[in-house]
Amino acid sequence: DWVNGFESHSALVVKVANIMDKLAFNTVSDEFEEGIDEIGKAIGFPTQRPEKQTGRGPDNFWQVDTNKYWIIECKNMVSAERTGISKTEIGQMSNDLGWFSEYYDGCEGIPVMVHPAEMLKSDAYPTQPFWVFKAVSLEQFKGNTVRFFNSLSGSVLSEELIVQKLKEFGLDT
């Protein structure tokens, strides 16, 4: 539906490029989180921004399957020179997981942190494993997303084609 909302493939490509511009480390946090929300919707996931909407929960939240969610905490303003993920950032992720447990009983929540570091500081102890989208991962995701939308040019869109292309570009969960 999102793709069909554009009058041309060129208009779609321009919109995707605008979203990709928001997804860069050192971009203003609200703009970055808006980009995460927009690209989630663009590739077909129901999304929310709980912290912005209610003051509680993660920065971004994607439903990636029937009872499966990504709980996304964005730390895009953290300096790339910092050597690790801090105790405070891990605490924030733990709070997000508590929020998820309260509202999504019986569902699977996958914690994801967008952060330039991949190692933990010595005083940071997560309550469960989580994914880290560091700069390299973010750039790879952006490239795959752009290639996915470019590959739709001239195609007759169907659910089967979209699912095939999402898999082809590693954008399915």
Side-chain angles (χ1 to χ4, degrees):
D1 290 341
W2 191 84
V3 172
N4 284 330
F6 293 88
E7 62 188 50
S8 69
H9 187 263
S10 296
L12 168 73
V13 169
V14 168
K15 178 62 176 175
V16 169
N18 289 336
I19 295 170
M20 293 300 111
D21 287 345
K22 295 177 184 180
L23 300 180
F25 282 95
N26 296 316
T27 298
V28 175
S29 294
D30 189 55
E31 187 174 326
F32 185 89
E33 293 164 15
E34 180 180 281
I36 292 288
D37 189 68
E38 289 175 333
I39 203 60
K41 284 181 172 88
I43 59 178
F45 298 128
T47 67
Q48 295 177 34
R49 292 183 63 195
E51 186 175 49
K52 181 170 180 71
Q53 295 163 339
T54 68
R56 300 179 351 183
D59 295 323
N60 294 88
F61 189 63
W62 291 6
Q63 183 178 7
V64 296
D65 207 343
T66 303
N67 288 314
K68 189 175 185 179
Y69 299 83
W70 280 11
I71 303 162
I72 306 170
E73 195 59 48
C74 299
K75 300 298 174 200
N76 60 294
M77 293 297 293
V78 171
S79 168
E81 285 77 43
R82 180 133 65 84
T83 59
I85 299 170
S86 75
K87 175 181 176 178
T88 302
E89 292 161 345
I90 291 300
Q92 191 171 7
M93 181 62 78
S94 293
N95 281 335
D96 295 344
L97 292 169
W99 170 88
F100 178 78
S101 295
E102 184 175 331
Y103 293 102
Y104 293 87
D105 188 40
C107 295
E108 180 183 1
I110 300 166
V112 177
M113 187 175 288
V114 180
H115 199 293
E118 62 184 29
M119 303 299 290
L120 298 170
K121 289 195 169 263
S122 62
D123 63 347
Y125 297 96
T127 57
Q128 72 180 65
F130 61 96
W131 291 98
V132 178
F133 245 62
K134 55 187 182 174
V136 170
S137 307
L138 183 61
E139 290 306 313
Q140 188 174 38
F141 171 74
K142 288 167 58 175
N144 288 349
T145 302
V146 168
R147 285 189 288 282
F148 163 73
F149 284 109
N150 285 339
S151 77
L152 301 178
S153 178
S155 299
V156 175
L157 297 181
S158 66
E159 186 174 335
E160 294 78 22
L161 175 70
I162 297 290
V163 168
Q164 173 201 337
K165 294 285 188 179
L166 286 170
K167 286 180 183 178
E168 180 180 334
F169 291 100
L171 299 173
D172 62 328
T173 60

